[in-house]
Amino acid sequence: MSAIVQCIHYSGQKSQQLRNVPFIYPSIVWVQTGVKKLQWQNDWISIDPQHWLLTSGHSQHTFINQPSQSVFSSLQLCFFIKPTTELINRSRQQASSNVAPDYQFDHAGEYLFMNVINMPKSLPRNVQECMVNAFFEYLANVGRLHQLFHSQDLSWRDKLVALFKQQPAEQHSIESACQHFGLSKSTLIRRLREESTQFREVLAELRMGYALTLLQKQHYTQLDLAQLCGYQSETRFAQRFKKQFGLSLKEYQQTILN
């Protein structure tokens, strides 16, 4: 049974200044310890343990993770299923204008968040979906659900990510993707262009996000990490990592808790 949510833990023992961090899936980030200073428009927003960061999928953010008493930690809850169009529309109707991505949650929100991340994976899928949908109902009622989901429809970026995430290290090609979807190359290129993206951009986005996730679990050599993320060239992977995040792999590893 495929998962409908994923919870990722991030931590650090030194300040982490990261740019263009990809959020592949609609996500809620809850800072547990420390502060996440998020660049938003022409300002900075401080996301503390009393606030969530809500972000849609296929977005990128620049932020600084600042430890408190030498520790920064956060939970990222990623959603793999979508709410109904009715809920998304209700959320828009409830929302005030110019909604920032931070939200000061209440006890009901905390309760529902914890229920979702702690629900046993052995539960039947329909029961898990009911629990997640209850959370979606809450977010719609407070006018925040549409910040995570702009539409109920799957984009072609979504479809590619679903394909890539099964085996990030696979040597994915646009030709193999076209064969999987039963499309011509020109059709897939056109559909991605309509979404203002390209095949290689979606693949690189997923692999860079996957690299950060792996680094939180254990220490990897640059070569091992490159291969796990589907790069045959260690140098090319290192260059991409530095270009994406603004710091080298070694610099990032030095900020993570041992």
Side-chain angles (χ1 to χ4, degrees), residues 92-238:
R92 290 195 178 100
Q93 293 168 2
Q94 296 291 335
S96 57
S97 59
N98 300 319
V99 177
D102 62 320
Y103 172 63
Q104 186 171 2
F105 57 88
D106 54 21
H107 290 301
E110 178 180 359
Y111 173 80
L112 290 165
F113 185 102
M114 296 304 298
N115 268 1
V116 170
I117 67 171
N118 291 322
M119 64 182 180
K121 300 302 182 285
S122 58
L123 287 176
R125 183 180 177 90
N126 62 333
V127 177
Q128 293 187 39
E129 289 178 352
C130 284
M131 296 175 70
V132 173
N133 284 326
F135 195 17
F136 288 164
E137 289 274 358
Y138 165 83
L139 292 169
N141 289 343
V142 297
R144 293 288 181 159
L145 185 65
H146 67 287
Q147 289 182 272
L148 300 175
F149 303 93
H150 303 310
S151 168
Q152 203 275 337
D153 297 328
L154 281 176
S155 67
W156 280 97
R157 292 180 72 158
D158 292 330
K159 294 174 183 178
L160 281 177
V161 164
L163 175 63
F164 297 154
K165 80 169 186 175
Q166 298 175 30
Q167 294 180 305
E170 187 74 20
Q171 294 304 303
H172 297 284
S173 67
I174 192 168
E175 289 79 12
S176 62
C178 289
Q179 184 176 7
H180 175 83
F181 294 121
L183 296 176
S184 68
K185 184 175 179 179
S186 60
T187 298
L188 181 57
I189 290 173
R190 174 173 53 80
R191 290 182 177 178
L192 290 172
R193 187 183 298 123
E194 290 170 354
E195 297 177 6
S196 301
T197 191
Q198 300 177 19
F199 180 86
R200 290 188 177 278
E201 287 180 5
V202 180
L203 182 56
E205 178 185 78
L206 179 123
R207 284 173 168 170
M208 287 298 102
Y210 185 54
L212 287 185
T213 303
L214 288 175
L215 287 167
Q216 286 292 320
K217 296 178 179 178
Q218 68 180 72
H219 179 86
Y220 288 95
T221 66
Q222 186 167 278
L223 177 59
D224 287 344
L225 191 63
Q227 292 176 341
L228 286 169
C229 293
Y231 285 82
Q232 295 178 316
S233 167
E234 176 184 354
T235 301
R236 186 178 176 189
F237 170 77

Side-chain angles (χ1 to χ4, degrees), residues 231-249:
Y231 285 82
Q232 295 178 316
S233 167
E234 176 184 354
T235 301
R236 186 178 176 189
F237 170 77
Q239 291 172 342
R240 176 72 198 197
F241 191 97
K242 178 68 180 275
K243 180 180 179 181
Q244 180 80 38
F245 301 119
L247 73 173
S248 68
L249 174 60

Side-chain angles (χ1 to χ4, degrees), residues 8-12 65 72-76 209 212-213 216 252:
I8 307 173
H9 296 256
Y10 290 96
S11 63
N65 293 333
F72 173 87
S73 64
S74 67
L75 301 176
Q76 179 180 345
L212 287 185
T213 303
Q216 286 292 320
Y252 180 68

